[in-house]
Amino acid sequence: MSLVNAREAVDSWAAVTARSQIAQLHLVCSQVGNALSYRLRVMARSTISRFAASLSGRKSQPSVKAALEAWFHEVRRASWKNSADLKRSYATASIVSSDRVVFNIKGNDFRLIAAVDYRRQVVYIKWIGSHGDYDSIDARTVQYED
């Protein structure tokens, strides 16, 4: 792909995104031929930081924080078009509805519930907690609370 064609593709992509109000997507030029790929956006990383901070003083805090950060970076690099793509990346994830997914964190000691908008390539963190706390919530409806 020539530089002129690449610029035209980017300009065309930018116009489409502006019209469809998906300006948050990050365009990443793939190293594989002419393909353009999108990276998932995770909303909001601060949720992960606040949860890790809430475990301050616990022996497991550093490992939970590291596991959540690893999950964040893995998801940011992903490009899921549907739940089947997600399951290829995370075989142990549980699909609980058309947009809700439960991820096992730190060897299933903790759970992270996210809503995934495959079309817009956005992952919304809805809840993070221990496996025990997970048993007392409804993964299909829980919402993150500040």
Side-chain angles (χ1 to χ4, degrees):
M1 174 181 255
S2 73
L3 185 57
V4 171
N5 289 343
R7 285 187 180 151
E8 289 173 358
V10 169
D11 290 344
S12 175
W13 177 84
V16 169
T17 17
R19 283 193 301 271
S20 63
Q21 298 179 350
I22 308 174
Q24 298 92 356
L25 293 177
H26 297 277
L27 178 63
V28 178
C29 292
S30 173
Q31 298 300 316
V32 184
N34 298 336
L36 295 177
S37 63
Y38 303 94
R39 293 171 54 191
L40 283 168
R41 184 161 188 208
V42 180
M43 305 295 287
R45 187 175 189 175
S46 60
T47 304
I48 291 172
S49 300
R50 280 195 300 273
F51 179 77
S54 76
L55 299 175
S56 182
R58 294 188 188 179
K59 184 178 177 182
S60 64
Q61 195 262 355
S63 58
V64 173
K65 181 178 181 183
L68 287 167
E69 287 294 323
W71 175 88
F72 175 83
H73 290 290
E74 288 170 11
V75 170
R76 287 269 303 154
R77 287 190 302 269
S79 178
W80 302 322
K81 293 178 180 61
N82 53 45
S83 59
D85 287 350
L86 186 150
K87 286 293 277 185
R88 277 191 282 281
S89 299
Y90 284 94
T92 61
S94 300
I95 310 295
V96 294
S97 69
S98 62
D99 72 336
R100 288 287 175 114
V101 182
V102 178
F103 294 93
N104 298 316
I105 304 294
K106 194 184 163 279
N108 204 23
D109 290 344
F110 291 84
R111 299 276 178 96
L112 182 149
I113 299 173
V116 182
D117 186 331
Y118 298 103
R119 186 174 64 82
R120 290 188 176 92
Q121 293 287 283
V122 181
V123 176
Y124 301 93
I125 298 172
K126 297 297 184 177
W127 184 86
I128 307 173
S130 70
H131 191 137
D133 293 338
Y134 172 80
D135 293 336
S136 66
I137 62 156
D138 182 353
R140 291 168 296 180
T141 60
V142 70
Q143 296 292 326
Y144 181 77
E145 297 176 11
D146 285 324

